Coordinates of all heavy atoms in Angstrom, one line a residue:
L1471 N 20.2 63.8 -36.0 CA 19.8 63.6 -34.6 C 18.4 62.8 -34.7 O 18.2 61.9 -33.9 CB 19.6 64.9 -33.9 CG 19.3 64.7 -32.4 CD1 20.4 64.1 -31.6 CD2 19.0 66.1 -31.8
A1472 N 17.6 63.2 -35.6 CA 16.3 62.6 -35.7 C 16.5 61.1 -36.2 O 15.7 60.2 -35.7 CB 15.3 63.3 -36.6
G1473 N 17.4 60.9 -37.0 CA 17.6 59.5 -37.5 C 18.2 58.6 -36.4 O 17.8 57.4 -36.4
K1474 N 19.0 59.2 -35.6 CA 19.6 58.4 -34.5 C 18.5 58.0 -33.5 O 18.5 56.9 -32.9 CB 20.8 59.2 -33.8 CG 21.6 58.4 -32.9 CD 22.8 59.1 -32.4 CE 23.7 58.3 -31.6 NZ 24.9 59.0 -31.1
G1475 N 17.6 59.0 -33.1 CA 16.6 58.7 -32.2 C 15.6 57.7 -32.7 O 15.1 56.8 -32.0
T1476 N 15.3 57.8 -34.0 CA 14.4 56.8 -34.6 C 15.0 55.4 -34.6 O 14.3 54.4 -34.3 CB 14.1 57.2 -36.1 OG1 13.6 58.5 -36.1 CG2 13.1 56.3 -36.7
F1477 N 16.3 55.3 -34.8 CA 17.0 54.0 -34.8 C 17.0 53.4 -33.4 O 16.7 52.3 -33.2 CB 18.5 54.2 -35.2 CG 19.3 53.0 -35.1 CD1 19.1 51.9 -36.1 CD2 20.2 52.8 -34.1 CE1 19.8 50.8 -36.0 CE2 20.9 51.6 -34.0 CZ 20.7 50.6 -34.9
I1478 N 17.2 54.3 -32.4 CA 17.2 53.8 -31.0 C 15.7 53.3 -30.6 O 15.6 52.2 -30.0 CB 17.6 54.9 -30.0 CG1 19.1 55.1 -30.2 CG2 17.4 54.5 -28.6 CD1 19.7 56.3 -29.5
I1479 N 14.7 54.0 -31.0 CA 13.3 53.6 -30.7 C 13.0 52.3 -31.5 O 12.4 51.4 -30.9 CB 12.4 54.8 -31.1 CG1 12.5 55.9 -30.1 CG2 10.9 54.3 -31.1 CD1 11.7 57.1 -30.5
S1480 N 13.5 52.2 -32.7 CA 13.3 51.0 -33.5 C 13.9 49.8 -32.8 O 13.3 48.7 -32.8 CB 13.8 51.2 -34.9 OG 13.1 52.2 -35.6
V1481 N 15.1 50.0 -32.3 CA 15.8 48.9 -31.7 C 15.1 48.5 -30.4 O 14.9 47.3 -30.0 CB 17.3 49.2 -31.4 CG1 18.0 48.2 -30.5 CG2 18.1 49.4 -32.7
A1482 N 14.6 49.5 -29.7 CA 13.9 49.3 -28.4 C 12.6 48.5 -28.7 O 12.2 47.6 -28.0 CB 13.6 50.6 -27.7
V1483 N 11.9 48.9 -29.8 CA 10.6 48.3 -30.1 C 10.9 46.8 -30.5 O 10.2 45.9 -30.2 CB 9.9 49.0 -31.3 CG1 8.8 48.2 -31.9 CG2 9.4 50.3 -30.7
L1484 N 12.0 46.6 -31.3 CA 12.4 45.3 -31.7 C 12.7 44.4 -30.5 O 12.3 43.2 -30.4 CB 13.5 45.3 -32.7 CG 14.0 44.0 -33.2 CD1 12.9 43.3 -34.0 CD2 15.3 44.1 -34.0
A1485 N 13.4 45.0 -29.5 CA 13.8 44.2 -28.3 C 12.5 43.9 -27.5 O 12.4 42.7 -27.0 CB 14.8 45.0 -27.5
L1486 N 11.6 44.8 -27.4 CA 10.4 44.5 -26.7 C 9.5 43.5 -27.4 O 8.9 42.7 -26.8 CB 9.6 45.8 -26.5 CG 10.2 46.8 -25.5 CD1 9.4 48.1 -25.5 CD2 10.2 46.3 -24.1
F1487 N 9.5 43.5 -28.7 CA 8.8 42.5 -29.5 C 9.4 41.1 -29.3 O 8.6 40.2 -29.0 CB 8.9 42.9 -31.0 CG 8.3 41.8 -31.9 CD1 6.9 41.7 -32.0 CD2 9.0 40.9 -32.6 CE1 6.3 40.7 -32.8 CE2 8.5 39.9 -33.4 CZ 7.1 39.8 -33.5
V1488 N 10.7 41.0 -29.3 CA 11.3 39.7 -29.0 C 11.0 39.3 -27.6 O 10.7 38.1 -27.4 CB 12.9 39.8 -29.3 CG1 13.6 38.6 -28.8 CG2 13.1 40.0 -30.8
L1489 N 11.1 40.2 -26.6 CA 10.8 39.8 -25.2 C 9.4 39.4 -25.1 O 9.1 38.4 -24.4 CB 11.1 41.0 -24.4 CG 11.0 40.8 -22.9 CD1 12.1 39.8 -22.4 CD2 11.2 42.1 -22.1
N1490 N 8.4 40.1 -25.7 CA 7.0 39.8 -25.7 C 6.8 38.4 -26.3 O 6.0 37.6 -25.8 CB 6.2 40.8 -26.4 CG 4.7 40.6 -26.2 OD1 4.3 40.2 -25.2 ND2 4.0 40.9 -27.3
S1491 N 7.4 38.1 -27.4 CA 7.3 36.8 -28.1 C 7.8 35.7 -27.1 O 7.2 34.6 -27.1 CB 8.1 36.8 -29.4 OG 7.5 37.7 -30.3
A1492 N 8.9 35.9 -26.5 CA 9.5 34.9 -25.5 C 8.5 34.7 -24.4 O 8.3 33.5 -24.0 CB 10.8 35.4 -25.0
F1493 N 7.9 35.7 -23.8 CA 7.0 35.6 -22.8 C 5.7 34.8 -23.2 O 5.2 34.0 -22.5 CB 6.6 36.9 -22.2 CG 7.6 37.5 -21.3 CD1 7.8 38.9 -21.2 CD2 8.4 36.7 -20.4 CE1 8.7 39.5 -20.3 CE2 9.3 37.3 -19.6 CZ 9.5 38.6 -19.5
A1494 N 5.3 35.1 -24.4 CA 4.1 34.5 -25.0 C 4.3 33.0 -25.1 O 3.5 32.1 -24.8 CB 3.7 35.1 -26.3
A1495 N 5.5 32.6 -25.6 CA 5.9 31.2 -25.8 C 5.9 30.5 -24.4 O 5.5 29.4 -24.3 CB 7.2 31.1 -26.5
A1496 N 6.6 31.1 -23.5 CA 6.6 30.6 -22.1 C 5.2 30.4 -21.5 O 4.9 29.4 -20.9 CB 7.5 31.4 -21.2
N1497 N 4.4 31.4 -21.8 CA 3.0 31.3 -21.2 C 2.3 30.2 -21.9 O 1.6 29.4 -21.1 CB 2.3 32.7 -21.6 CG 0.9 32.8 -20.9 OD1 0.7 32.1 -19.9 ND2 0.1 33.6 -21.4
R1498 N 2.4 29.9 -23.2 CA 1.8 28.8 -23.8 C 2.3 27.5 -23.2 O 1.5 26.5 -23.0 CB 2.0 28.8 -25.3 CG 1.0 29.7 -26.0 CD 1.1 29.5 -27.6 NE 1.4 30.9 -28.1 CZ 2.6 31.3 -28.6 NH1 3.6 30.5 -28.7 NH2 2.7 32.5 -29.0
S1499 N 3.6 27.4 -22.9 CA 4.1 26.2 -22.4 C 3.6 26.0 -21.0 O 3.2 24.8 -20.6 CB 5.7 26.4 -22.3 OG 6.2 25.3 -21.6
F1500 N 3.5 27.0 -20.2 CA 2.9 26.9 -18.8 C 1.4 26.5 -18.9 O 1.0 25.7 -18.1 CB 3.1 28.2 -18.0 CG 4.5 28.4 -17.6 CD1 5.0 29.7 -17.6 CD2 5.3 27.4 -17.2 CE1 6.3 30.0 -17.3 CE2 6.6 27.7 -16.8 CZ 7.1 29.0 -16.9
Q1501 N 0.7 27.0 -19.8 CA -0.7 26.7 -20.0 C -0.9 25.2 -20.3 O -1.8 24.5 -19.9 CB -1.4 27.6 -21.0 CG -1.7 29.0 -20.6 CD -2.3 29.8 -21.7 OE1 -2.2 29.5 -22.9 NE2 -2.8 31.0 -21.3
G1502 N 0.0 24.7 -21.2 CA 0.0 23.3 -21.6 C 0.2 22.4 -20.3 O -0.4 21.4 -20.2
E1503 N 1.2 22.8 -19.5 CA 1.5 22.0 -18.3 C 0.3 22.0 -17.3 O -0.1 21.0 -16.7 CB 2.7 22.6 -17.6 CG 4.0 22.3 -18.3 CD 5.2 23.0 -17.6 OE1 5.1 23.4 -16.4 OE2 6.2 23.2 -18.3
I1504 N -0.4 23.2 -17.2 CA -1.6 23.3 -16.3 C -2.7 22.5 -16.9 O -3.4 21.8 -16.1 CB -2.0 24.8 -16.2 CG1 -0.9 25.5 -15.3 CG2 -3.3 24.9 -15.6 CD1 -1.1 27.0 -15.3
V1505 N -2.9 22.5 -18.2 CA -4.0 21.7 -18.7 C -3.7 20.2 -18.5 O -4.6 19.5 -18.2 CB -4.2 22.0 -20.2 CG1 -5.1 21.0 -20.9 CG2 -4.8 23.4 -20.4
A1506 N -2.5 19.8 -18.7 CA -2.1 18.4 -18.5 C -2.4 18.0 -17.0 O -2.9 16.9 -16.7 CB -0.7 18.1 -18.9
G1507 N -2.0 18.9 -16.1 CA -2.2 18.6 -14.7 C -3.7 18.6 -14.4 O -4.2 17.7 -13.6
Q1508 N -4.5 19.4 -14.9 CA -6.0 19.4 -14.7 C -6.6 18.1 -15.3 O -7.4 17.5 -14.6 CB -6.6 20.6 -15.4 CG -6.4 21.9 -14.7 CD -7.0 23.1 -15.4 OE1 -7.1 23.1 -16.6 NE2 -7.3 24.2 -14.7
Q1509 N -6.1 17.7 -16.4 CA -6.6 16.4 -17.0 C -6.3 15.3 -16.1 O -7.1 14.4 -15.9 CB -6.1 16.2 -18.4 CG -6.7 17.2 -19.4 CD -6.1 17.1 -20.8 OE1 -5.0 16.5 -20.9 NE2 -6.8 17.6 -21.8
A1510 N -5.1 15.3 -15.6 CA -4.7 14.2 -14.7 C -5.6 14.2 -13.4 O -6.0 13.1 -13.0 CB -3.2 14.3 -14.3
L1511 N -5.8 15.4 -12.8 CA -6.7 15.4 -11.7 C -8.1 15.0 -12.0 O -8.7 14.3 -11.2 CB -6.6 16.9 -11.1 CG -5.4 17.3 -10.4 CD1 -5.5 18.7 -10.0 CD2 -5.2 16.4 -9.1
N1512 N -8.6 15.4 -13.1 CA -9.9 15.0 -13.5 C -10.0 13.5 -13.7 O -11.0 12.9 -13.3 CB -10.4 15.7 -14.8 CG -10.6 17.2 -14.6 OD1 -10.9 17.7 -13.5 ND2 -10.6 18.0 -15.7
G1513 N -9.0 12.9 -14.3 CA -9.0 11.5 -14.4 C -9.0 10.8 -13.0 O -9.7 9.8 -12.8
K1514 N -8.2 11.3 -12.1 CA -8.2 10.7 -10.8 C -9.5 10.9 -10.1 O -10.0 10.0 -9.4 CB -7.1 11.3 -9.9 CG -5.7 10.9 -10.4 CD -4.6 11.5 -9.5 CE -3.2 11.2 -10.0 NZ -2.2 11.8 -9.2
N1515 N -10.1 12.1 -10.2 CA -11.4 12.3 -9.6 C -12.5 11.4 -10.2 O -13.4 10.9 -9.4 CB -11.8 13.8 -9.7 CG -11.0 14.7 -8.8 OD1 -10.4 14.3 -7.8 ND2 -11.0 16.0 -9.2
Q1516 N -12.4 11.2 -11.5 CA -13.4 10.3 -12.1 C -13.2 8.9 -11.6 O -14.2 8.2 -11.3 CB -13.3 10.4 -13.6 CG -14.3 9.6 -14.4 CD -14.1 9.7 -15.9 OE1 -13.1 10.2 -16.4 NE2 -15.1 9.3 -16.6
K1517 N -12.0 8.5 -11.4 CA -11.7 7.1 -11.0 C -12.2 7.0 -9.5 O -12.8 5.9 -9.1 CB -10.2 6.8 -11.1 CG -9.9 5.3 -10.8 CD -8.6 5.0 -11.4 CE -8.4 3.5 -11.2 NZ -8.6 2.8 -12.4
L1518 N -12.0 8.0 -8.7 CA -12.5 8.0 -7.3 C -14.0 7.9 -7.3 O -14.6 7.1 -6.5 CB -12.0 9.2 -6.5 CG -10.5 9.2 -6.1 CD1 -10.2 10.6 -5.5 CD2 -10.3 8.1 -5.1
A1519 N -14.7 8.6 -8.1 CA -16.1 8.6 -8.2 C -16.6 7.2 -8.6 O -17.6 6.7 -8.0 CB -16.7 9.7 -9.1
Q1520 N -15.9 6.6 -9.5 CA -16.3 5.3 -9.9 C -16.1 4.3 -8.8 O -16.9 3.4 -8.6 CB -15.5 4.8 -11.2 CG -15.9 5.5 -12.5 CD -15.0 5.1 -13.6 OE1 -13.9 4.6 -13.4 NE2 -15.5 5.4 -14.8
N1521 N -15.0 4.4 -8.1 CA -14.7 3.5 -7.0 C -15.7 3.6 -5.9 O -16.2 2.6 -5.3 CB -13.3 3.8 -6.4 CG -12.2 3.3 -7.3 OD1 -12.4 2.5 -8.2 ND2 -11.0 3.8 -7.1
R1522 N -16.2 4.9 -5.6 CA -17.2 5.1 -4.6 C -18.6 4.4 -5.1 O -19.3 3.8 -4.4 CB -17.5 6.6 -4.4 CG -16.5 7.1 -3.3 CD -16.9 8.5 -2.9 NE -15.7 9.3 -3.1 CZ -15.5 10.3 -3.9 NH1 -16.5 10.7 -4.7 NH2 -14.4 10.9 -4.0
A1523 N -18.9 4.6 -6.4 CA -20.1 4.1 -7.0 C -20.1 2.5 -6.9 O -21.1 1.9 -6.6 CB -20.3 4.6 -8.4
F1524 N -19.0 1.9 -7.3 CA -18.9 0.5 -7.3 C -18.6 -0.1 -6.0 O -18.7 -1.3 -5.8 CB -17.8 0.0 -8.3 CG -18.3 0.2 -9.8 CD1 -17.5 1.0 -10.6 CD2 -19.4 -0.4 -10.2 CE1 -17.9 1.2 -11.9 CE2 -19.8 -0.2 -11.6 CZ -19.0 0.6 -12.4
G1525 N -18.1 0.7 -5.0 CA -17.8 0.2 -3.7 C -19.0 -0.5 -3.0 O -18.8 -1.5 -2.4
N1526 N -20.2 0.1 -3.2 CA -21.4 -0.5 -2.6 C -21.7 -1.8 -3.2 O -22.1 -2.7 -2.6 CB -22.5 0.5 -2.6 CG -22.3 1.7 -1.8 OD1 -21.6 1.7 -0.8 ND2 -23.0 2.8 -2.1
V1527 N -21.5 -1.8 -4.6 CA -21.8 -3.1 -5.3 C -20.9 -4.2 -4.9 O -21.2 -5.3 -4.6 CB -21.8 -2.8 -6.8 CG1 -21.9 -4.1 -7.6 CG2 -22.8 -1.8 -7.2
Y1528 N -19.6 -3.8 -4.8 CA -18.6 -4.8 -4.4 C -18.8 -5.3 -3.0 O -18.7 -6.5 -2.7 CB -17.1 -4.2 -4.5 CG -16.7 -3.8 -5.9 CD1 -15.9 -2.7 -6.1 CD2 -17.0 -4.6 -7.0 CE1 -15.5 -2.4 -7.4 CE2 -16.6 -4.3 -8.2 CZ -15.8 -3.2 -8.4 OH -15.4 -2.9 -9.7
Q1529 N -19.2 -4.4 -2.1 CA -19.4 -4.7 -0.7 C -20.6 -5.7 -0.6 O -20.6 -6.7 0.1 CB -19.7 -3.5 0.1 CG -19.9 -3.8 1.6 CD -20.1 -2.6 2.4 OE1 -20.1 -1.5 1.9 NE2 -20.3 -2.7 3.7
A1530 N -21.7 -5.4 -1.4 CA -22.9 -6.3 -1.4 C -22.5 -7.6 -2.0 O -23.0 -8.7 -1.4 CB -24.0 -5.6 -2.2
L1531 N -21.7 -7.7 -3.0 CA -21.3 -8.9 -3.6 C -20.5 -9.8 -2.7 O -20.7 -11.0 -2.5 CB -20.5 -8.6 -4.9 CG -20.0 -9.8 -5.7 CD1 -21.1 -10.7 -6.1 CD2 -19.2 -9.4 -6.9
V1532 N -19.5 -9.1 -2.0 CA -18.7 -9.9 -1.1 C -19.5 -10.4 0.1 O -19.3 -11.5 0.6 CB -17.5 -9.0 -0.6 CG1 -16.8 -9.6 0.6 CG2 -16.5 -8.8 -1.7
Q1533 N -20.4 -9.5 0.6 CA -21.3 -9.9 1.7 C -22.2 -11.2 1.3 O -22.3 -12.1 2.0 CB -22.2 -8.8 2.1 CG -23.1 -9.1 3.2 CD -22.3 -9.2 4.5 OE1 -21.4 -8.5 4.8 NE2 -22.7 -10.2 5.4
A1534 N -22.7 -11.2 0.0 CA -23.5 -12.3 -0.4 C -22.6 -13.5 -0.6 O -23.1 -14.6 -0.2 CB -24.1 -12.0 -1.8
L1535 N -21.4 -13.4 -1.0 CA -20.5 -14.6 -1.1 C -20.2 -15.1 0.3 O -20.1 -16.3 0.5 CB -19.2 -14.2 -1.9 CG -19.3 -14.0 -3.4 CD1 -18.1 -13.5 -4.0 CD2 -19.7 -15.4 -4.0
A1536 N -19.9 -14.2 1.2 CA -19.6 -14.6 2.6 C -20.8 -15.3 3.2 O -20.6 -16.4 3.9 CB -19.2 -13.4 3.4
N1537 N -22.0 -14.8 3.0 CA -23.2 -15.5 3.5 C -23.3 -16.9 2.9 O -23.7 -17.8 3.6 CB -24.4 -14.6 3.2 CG -24.5 -13.4 4.1 OD1 -23.9 -13.3 5.1 ND2 -25.3 -12.4 3.7
A1538 N -23.1 -17.0 1.6 CA -23.2 -18.3 0.9 C -22.2 -19.2 1.5 O -22.5 -20.4 1.7 CB -23.1 -18.1 -0.6
A1539 N -21.0 -18.7 1.7 CA -19.9 -19.6 2.2 C -20.2 -20.1 3.6 O -19.9 -21.3 3.9 CB -18.6 -18.8 2.2
T1540 N -20.8 -19.3 4.5 CA -21.1 -19.7 5.8 C -22.4 -20.5 5.9 O -22.4 -21.5 6.6 CB -21.2 -18.5 6.8 OG1 -22.2 -17.6 6.3 CG2 -19.9 -17.8 6.9
T1541 N -23.4 -20.1 5.2 CA -24.7 -20.8 5.4 C -24.7 -22.2 4.6 O -25.2 -23.2 5.1 CB -25.9 -20.0 4.8 OG1 -25.7 -19.7 3.5 CG2 -26.1 -18.8 5.7
K1542 N -24.0 -22.2 3.5 CA -24.0 -23.5 2.7 C -22.7 -24.3 3.0 O -22.5 -25.3 2.4 CB -24.1 -23.2 1.2 CG -25.5 -22.6 0.9 CD -25.6 -22.3 -0.6 CE -26.9 -21.7 -0.9 NZ -27.1 -21.4 -2.3
K1543 N -21.8 -23.7 3.8 CA -20.5 -24.3 4.2 C -19.8 -24.7 2.9 O -19.2 -25.8 2.7 CB -20.7 -25.5 5.0 CG -21.4 -25.2 6.4 CD -21.4 -26.4 7.3 CE -22.1 -26.2 8.6 NZ -22.4 -24.9 9.1
D1544 N -19.8 -23.7 2.0 CA -19.1 -23.9 0.7 C -17.6 -23.5 0.8 O -17.3 -22.3 0.9 CB -19.8 -23.0 -0.4 CG -19.3 -23.3 -1.8 OD1 -18.2 -23.7 -2.0 OD2 -20.1 -23.2 -2.7
E1545 N -16.8 -24.5 0.8 CA -15.3 -24.3 0.9 C -14.7 -23.6 -0.3 O -13.7 -22.9 -0.2 CB -14.6 -25.6 1.3 CG -15.0 -26.1 2.6 CD -14.7 -25.1 3.8 OE1 -13.6 -24.5 3.7 OE2 -15.5 -25.0 4.7
A1546 N -15.3 -23.8 -1.5 CA -14.7 -23.2 -2.7 C -14.9 -21.6 -2.6 O -14.0 -20.9 -2.9 CB -15.4 -23.7 -3.9
I1547 N -16.1 -21.2 -2.2 CA -16.3 -19.7 -2.0 C -15.4 -19.2 -0.9 O -14.8 -18.1 -1.0 CB -17.8 -19.4 -1.8 CG1 -18.6 -19.8 -3.0 CG2 -18.0 -18.0 -1.5 CD1 -20.1 -19.7 -2.8
R1548 N -15.4 -19.9 0.2 CA -14.5 -19.5 1.3 C -13.1 -19.4 0.9 O -12.4 -18.4 1.2 CB -14.7 -20.5 2.5 CG -13.9 -20.1 3.7 CD -14.0 -21.1 4.8 NE -15.3 -21.2 5.3 CZ -15.8 -20.5 6.3 NH1 -15.1 -19.5 6.9 NH2 -17.1 -20.6 6.7
G1549 N -12.6 -20.3 0.2 CA -11.2 -20.3 -0.3 C -11.0 -19.1 -1.2 O -9.9 -18.4 -1.2
L1550 N -12.0 -18.8 -2.1 CA -11.8 -17.7 -3.0 C -11.7 -16.4 -2.2 O -10.9 -15.5 -2.5 CB -13.0 -17.6 -4.0 CG -13.1 -16.4 -4.9 CD1 -12.0 -16.5 -5.9 CD2 -14.5 -16.4 -5.6
L1551 N -12.6 -16.2 -1.2 CA -12.5 -15.0 -0.4 C -11.2 -14.9 0.4 O -10.6 -13.8 0.5 CB -13.8 -15.0 0.5 CG -15.1 -14.8 -0.2 CD1 -16.2 -15.0 0.8 CD2 -15.2 -13.5 -0.9
V1552 N -10.8 -16.0 0.9 CA -9.5 -16.0 1.7 C -8.3 -15.7 0.8 O -7.4 -14.9 1.2 CB -9.3 -17.4 2.4 CG1 -7.9 -17.5 3.0 CG2 -10.3 -17.5 3.5
Q1553 N -8.4 -16.2 -0.5 CA -7.3 -15.8 -1.4 C -7.2 -14.3 -1.7 O -6.2 -13.8 -2.0 CB -7.5 -16.5 -2.8 CG -7.2 -18.0 -2.8 CD -7.5 -18.6 -4.1 OE1 -8.2 -18.0 -5.0 NE2 -6.9 -19.8 -4.4
N1554 N -8.4 -13.7 -1.6 CA -8.4 -12.2 -1.8 C -8.4 -11.4 -0.5 O -8.8 -10.3 -0.5 CB -9.7 -11.9 -2.6 CG -9.5 -12.4 -4.1 OD1 -8.8 -11.8 -4.8 ND2 -10.2 -13.4 -4.4
D1555 N -7.8 -12.0 0.5 CA -7.6 -11.4 1.8 C -8.9 -10.9 2.5 O -9.0 -9.8 3.1 CB -6.6 -10.2 1.7 CG -5.3 -10.7 1.3 OD1 -4.9 -11.8 1.7 OD2 -4.6 -9.9 0.6
I1556 N -10.0 -11.7 2.3 CA -11.3 -11.3 2.9 C -11.5 -12.4 4.0 O -11.6 -13.6 3.6 CB -12.4 -11.3 1.9 CG1 -12.1 -10.2 0.9 CG2 -13.7 -11.1 2.6 CD1 -13.0 -10.2 -0.3
R1557 N -11.5 -12.0 5.2 CA -11.7 -13.0 6.3 C -13.2 -13.1 6.6 O -13.9 -12.2 6.7 CB -11.0 -12.4 7.5 CG -10.8 -13.4 8.6 CD -10.0 -12.9 9.8 NE -10.8 -11.8 10.4 CZ -10.3 -10.9 11.2 NH1 -9.0 -10.9 11.4 NH2 -11.1 -10.0 11.7
I1558 N -13.6 -14.4 6.8 CA -15.0 -14.7 7.0 C -15.1 -15.1 8.5 O -14.4 -16.0 8.9 CB -15.5 -15.8 6.1 CG1 -15.4 -15.4 4.7 CG2 -16.9 -16.1 6.5 CD1 -15.7 -16.5 3.7
E1559 N -15.9 -14.5 9.2 CA -16.2 -14.8 10.6 C -17.7 -15.3 10.7 O -18.5 -14.6 10.1 CB -16.0 -13.7 11.5 CG -14.5 -13.2 11.6 CD -14.3 -12.1 12.5 OE1 -15.2 -11.7 13.2 OE2 -13.2 -11.5 12.5
P1560 N -17.9 -16.4 11.3 CA -19.3 -16.8 11.5 C -20.1 -15.7 12.2 O -19.6 -15.0 13.1 CB -19.2 -18.1 12.2 CG -17.9 -18.1 12.9 CD -17.0 -17.2 12.1
P1561 N -21.4 -15.6 11.9 CA -22.2 -14.6 12.7 C -22.3 -15.0 14.1 O -22.2 -16.2 14.5 CB -23.6 -14.7 12.0 CG -23.6 -16.1 11.3 CD -22.2 -16.4 11.0
P1562 N -22.4 -14.0 15.0 CA -22.5 -14.3 16.4 C -23.8 -15.1 16.7 O -24.8 -15.0 16.0 CB -22.6 -12.9 17.1 CG -23.0 -12.0 16.0 CD -22.6 -12.6 14.7
P1563 N -23.7 -16.0 17.7 CA -24.9 -16.8 18.0 C -26.0 -15.9 18.5 O -25.8 -14.9 19.2 CB -24.4 -17.7 19.1 CG -23.2 -17.0 19.7 CD -22.6 -16.2 18.6
Q1564 N -27.2 -16.3 18.1 CA -28.4 -15.5 18.4 C -28.8 -15.9 19.8 O -28.8 -17.1 20.2 CB -29.5 -15.8 17.5 CG -29.2 -15.3 16.0 CD -29.1 -13.8 15.9 OE1 -29.8 -13.1 16.6 NE2 -28.2 -13.4 15.1
P1565 N -29.3 -15.0 20.7 CA -29.7 -15.4 22.0 C -31.0 -16.2 21.9 O -31.8 -16.0 21.0 CB -30.0 -14.1 22.7 CG -30.1 -13.1 21.6 CD -29.3 -13.6 20.5
A1566 N -31.1 -17.2 22.8 CA -32.3 -18.0 22.7 C -33.5 -17.2 23.1 O -33.5 -16.4 24.0 CB -32.1 -19.2 23.7
A1567 N -34.6 -17.5 22.4 CA -35.8 -16.8 22.6 C -36.4 -17.2 24.0 O -36.4 -18.4 24.3 CB -36.8 -17.0 21.5
A1568 N -36.9 -16.3 24.8 CA -37.5 -16.6 26.1 C -38.8 -17.3 25.8 O -39.5 -16.9 24.9 CB -37.7 -15.3 26.9
P1569 N -39.1 -18.3 26.6 CA -40.4 -18.9 26.5 C -41.5 -18.0 26.7 O -41.4 -17.1 27.6 CB -40.4 -20.1 27.5 CG -39.3 -19.8 28.4 CD -38.4 -18.8 27.7
A1570 N -42.6 -18.1 25.9 CA -43.8 -17.2 26.1 C -44.5 -17.5 27.4 O -44.7 -18.7 27.8 CB -44.7 -17.4 24.9
K1571 N -44.8 -16.5 28.1 CA -45.6 -16.6 29.4 C -47.1 -16.8 29.1 O -47.6 -16.1 28.3 CB -45.3 -15.4 30.3 CG -43.9 -15.3 30.8 CD -43.7 -14.2 31.7 CE -42.3 -14.0 32.2 NZ -42.1 -12.9 33.1
K1572 N -47.7 -17.7 29.9 CA -49.1 -17.8 29.7 C -49.9 -17.3 30.9 O -49.6 -17.2 31.9 CB -49.4 -19.3 29.5 CG -48.9 -19.8 28.2 CD -49.4 -21.2 28.0 CE -48.9 -21.7 26.7 NZ -49.4 -23.0 26.4

């Protein structure tokens, strides 16, 4: 009787060991997927931060090119901006200064 009980407990322990090993392998697999997802998100966040940082520089550069195209009437710069879907509108006319009263 003691030998049969020991055998049953041994089989149960072996089954639990196999089950635990399977869960551990699945856990490692899920952890790998999570790490890959986190790395992808970090890469996207880093790219967004770079885009925000360079956005101001790009905006200033395009503004300077647009100013040069309008003030110097440079058609090459205007064409370059239009090719990149940037529309240039001339600045609104400035109101005439009122004559100074004496």
